[in-house]
Amino acid sequence: MSVRLHVNVDHVATLRQARGTTYPDPVQAAALCEDAGVHGITVHLREDRRHIQDHDVERLRKVARVVVNLEMAATEEMLSIAMAIKPTLVTLVPENRAERTTEGGLDVSGSLARVQSLCRRLATAGVGVSLFIDPAEEQIRASKEAGASIIELHTGDYANATTVDARLSELARLAHGAAFGASLGLRVAAGHGLTRSNVGALLAAAPQIEELNVGHAIVADAVMMGMKEAVRAFFDAMKARSTG
Ligand code: PXP
């Protein structure tokens, strides 16, 4: 099975917001990702709007040729935005204003009625729903009950493991979660903290994973892999001025 890749372009917007400029534009970055063959673009519209803005999601929805996956908190404000923009997919995530990035999975079993209601309303509008959860049986079972079609397993603990034992134990948890989710008929995705160094072992351990959401590492690689080219382009611009 070939695994689909969704690139999260939030941190292109982080860079833009840091300077209050109009560039770099996450929607333009999304177009470059499409050219490179990605299957989807993921954006997280946070309640504090620290990176992606509402207009980014609106513009992305208009121009994207691939899946648009809107990550959002399970709130009524976000639901009404999603109902208006109608992304291909909504991923419900927990959100805490003080966090640097999404920490921990959504507690679906602890908020089943609310998540169920959001899933139902999004499905009625033709929007698929994925739930970002820890690879625990209780959360996977609750996700099925809530009516989600996809679960995205949180790979943060795997990515952050500092010992071989911890890494293997997280891999085993993810492998079990992926197999259990698939056995319930759920589609299985994964994401958070994935890099070129840790993705191979994950996919080998959990062959049921169909889709990955990767942001930070790809944006970081883009900066490093593009740095020489950017400096050379700037030199060219300087030369053009001196001869023009
Ligand atoms: N999946 C979800 C649900 C996320 O919240 C994030 C972070 O925004 C990611 C995947 C991507 O994580 P990373 O930026 O570490 O690749």
Side-chain angles (χ1 to χ4, degrees):
M1 176 177 63
S2 81
V3 180
R4 293 186 299 279
L5 176 62
H6 291 183
V7 174
N8 178 320
V9 293
D10 290 354
H11 292 317
V12 176
T14 301
L15 199 54
R16 177 191 63 193
Q17 298 307 113
R19 290 294 291 269
T21 47
T22 55
Y23 68 90
D25 178 8
V27 178
Q28 195 184 348
L32 296 172
C33 293
E34 282 187 353
D35 289 349
V38 303
H39 306 85
I41 300 294
T42 299
V43 286
H44 184 174
L45 186 67
R46 295 187 70 100
E47 293 187 282
D48 62 11
R49 307 298 197 270
R50 70 170 73 153
H51 39 54
I52 292 295
Q53 306 296 306
D54 299 54
H55 67 81
D56 292 324
V57 190
E58 285 155 16
R59 288 184 302 126
L60 181 65
R61 187 61 180 126
K62 283 200 186 107
V63 301
R65 288 173 277 123
V66 295
V67 168
V68 172
N69 175 21
L70 174 63
E71 281 181 15
M72 59 180 224
T75 64
E76 289 299 324
E77 182 212 352
M78 287 298 156
L79 178 74
S80 61
I81 292 172
M83 296 294 255
I85 295 178
K86 291 200 174 56
T88 332
L89 182 68
V90 157
T91 299
L92 296 178
V93 300
E95 206 174 288
N96 160 8
R97 274 168 197 263
E99 70 192 357
R100 229 184 264 170
T101 178
T102 315
E103 289 164 3
L106 188 68
D107 180 11
V108 184
S109 58
S111 51
L112 188 58
R114 189 158 54 96
V115 176
Q116 212 160 28
S117 154
L118 289 171
C119 286
R120 198 176 310 118
R121 285 182 281 166
L122 285 162
T124 309
V127 178
V129 182
S130 173
L131 301 176
F132 184 51
I133 56 170
D134 289 323
E137 280 195 10
E138 183 194 6
Q139 298 300 339
I140 297 168
R141 223 179 269 112
S143 300
K144 175 75 183 174
E145 211 179 323
S149 48
I150 307 178
I151 48 170
E152 180 180 342
L153 300 179
H154 194 316
T155 50
D157 287 341
Y158 161 63
N160 293 332
T162 53
T163 65
V164 173
D165 280 357
R167 187 177 142 88
L168 291 177
S169 131
E170 288 307 326
L171 263 187
R173 245 162 53 88
L174 287 160
H176 177 73
F180 184 62
S183 77
L184 298 184
L186 291 161
R187 285 166 54 201
V188 182
H192 212 284
L194 295 177
T195 66
R196 285 184 285 126
S197 311
N198 62 24
V199 70
L202 173 71
L203 294 179
Q208 296 83 1
I209 292 175
E210 298 177 25
E211 195 171 283
L212 298 176
N213 279 288
V214 184
H216 187 74
I218 289 180
V219 174
D221 276 347
V223 171
M224 288 304 163
M225 292 174 178
M227 190 57 87
K228 273 191 197 169
E229 222 177 301
V231 171
R232 286 184 189 130
F234 204 92
F235 271 128
D236 286 347
M238 289 161 65
K239 271 189 222 136
R241 164 110 195 256
S242 64
T243 56

